[in-house]
């Protein structure tokens, strides 16, 4: 099963936040782990068959990445 780009967007957002706020290696690892676990799993083939403007979960992926970094910072 293929998943949408939001799955990778969560990791990208978490990586960006950890870089911007100069997280330690351990904090970065935790942020990426949390983001990967909670990333949206949107079925991309449904979007291919019936295109919409949902952009494959990118919004939720970005949100998940930011929150994951915030949790790792605690």
């Amino acid at each position: 099963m293929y998943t949408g780009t939001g799955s990778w967007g969560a990791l990208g957002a978490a990586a960006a936040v950890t870089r911007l706020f100069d997280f330690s290696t351990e904090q970065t690892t935790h942020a990426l782990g949390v983001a990967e676990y909670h990333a949206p799993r949107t079925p991309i083939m449904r979007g291919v068959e019936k295109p919409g403007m949902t952009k494959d979960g990118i919004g939720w992926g970005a949100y998940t990445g930011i929150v994951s970094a915030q949790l790792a910072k605690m």
Side-chain angles (χ1 to χ4, degrees):
M1 177 176 168
Y2 299 105
T3 58
T5 54
S7 301
W8 289 105
L11 291 166
V17 172
T18 61
R19 182 71 178 241
L20 287 171
F21 291 99
D22 199 29
F23 280 27
S24 69
T25 302
E26 183 179 12
Q27 289 171 320
T28 300
T29 302
H30 286 298
L32 293 173
V34 172
E36 189 276 330
Y37 185 82
H38 291 287
R41 301 287 185 238
T42 55
I44 196 164
M45 295 313 288
R46 181 177 61 188
V48 171
E49 293 171 5
K50 297 178 184 173
M53 294 302 294
T54 58
K55 302 296 182 201
D56 301 323
I58 293 172
W60 280 113
Y63 176 79
T64 301
I66 292 167
V67 172
S68 298
Q70 291 173 336
L71 288 170
K73 185 72 173 171
M74 297 178 140

